[in-house]
Structures are given as structure tokens and as C-alpha cells.
Amino acid sequence: MIRPDTSERAGSSPVPPLPSAWVLARVSGPSMTPTVRHGDRLLVRRLRPGTARPGDVVLARFPSRPDLLVVKRVARVLDGGAVDVRGDNPLVTDDSRAYGPAVAVGRVVARLRPRPGRLGPAPADPGGS
């Protein structure tokens, strides 16, 4: 789960966009460990609908849970621009496996604190699959 550092306004859309072109977000939870960890601060750029690509780390909302804003990795792009998102931590399943297709609303550009830098690729699957 992600908590924006800026306040969000709920719009009439079932999946509200980010409130501005650039957003600072704070990670809450272990679903993207080791790529990002609980407490990390992220710089996020708002995405136009349908522009996410597989491998991108994004902020996403699920139409089934529009109040929930999560940071996940795009596993694949679906018809209509929706995305299948997964966490980098295979033990946590608060992603498309639980909530269905998502709408990517922002792309994570960089981690600002506590370990500044760009985010790396998805960790290797220890199971070899």
C-alpha cells in the first residue's frame, strides 16, 4: 500500500487520477521488498491512461477498490490499457491476484529517501520459474 504525501481529492471517476503531475509518496508495507521498503519516499510522475509498460514500477488503483493506492510492478498490459500488477515480494498478494486488473495512475521515477536512486529490475525468482 502507498500513502501519498499530498492530499487526494476524490473525483467522479471510479479510479481517481493523481492530484498533480508530480507526487511524493511514502511506502507502507512489505509488498515491494526488496525494491522498495516500508518508509521509503518515492518521486512519482502521473501517467496518461494506457502508457504503462511491463516492468514499470507504478502507483495503481483497482476499480474494485478505488480507495486503495498501491505501488507495484506491471507484469503485463491488458486490453483497454488496464494492467496486471504484482509485488516484488512473492509472499504478499495484495495485487492483481487479489483485486483483479488495475489502472496505473503514476510511474515511480526515483526513490528519494532513505536510499536515493533509481529503482532496479525485478528481483530474480528464487524458485526458477
Side-chain angles (χ1 to χ4, degrees), residues 95-119:
D95 52 27
S96 289
R97 292 172 285 183
Y99 300 117
V103 176
V105 295
R107 180 178 291 119
V108 175
V109 175
R111 178 180 37 246
L112 301 177
R113 289 189 306 213
R115 302 164 289 126
R118 298 225 177 249
L119 304 183

Side-chain angles (χ1 to χ4, degrees), residues 5-123:
D5 282 347
T6 59
S7 62
E8 294 182 58
R9 291 177 292 161
S12 59
S13 168
V15 177
L18 293 178
S20 63
W22 292 94
V23 175
L24 294 177
R26 179 176 49 89
V27 176
S28 175
S31 69
M32 283 296 289
T33 302
T35 305
V36 294
R37 297 182 178 119
H38 179 81
D40 283 358
R41 304 275 185 192
L42 307 174
L43 178 62
V44 180
R45 182 175 175 103
R46 182 171 48 204
L47 276 177
R48 289 187 312 256
T51 60
R53 298 180 308 259
D56 285 349
V57 177
V58 298
L59 289 188
R61 293 185 191 273
F62 300 100
S64 62
R65 295 276 317 269
D67 58 313
L68 181 64
L69 183 63
V70 297
V71 60
K72 302 290 180 207
R73 191 176 299 274
V74 176
R76 60 191 173 117
V77 177
L78 308 172
D79 292 335
V83 291
D84 178 46
V85 293
R86 303 291 167 106
D88 285 354
N89 181 345
L91 302 176
V92 181
T93 61
D94 63 342
D95 52 27
S96 289
R97 292 172 285 183
Y99 300 117
V103 176
V105 295
R107 180 178 291 119
V108 175
V109 175
R111 178 180 37 246
L112 301 177
R113 289 189 306 213
R115 302 164 289 126
R118 298 225 177 249
L119 304 183

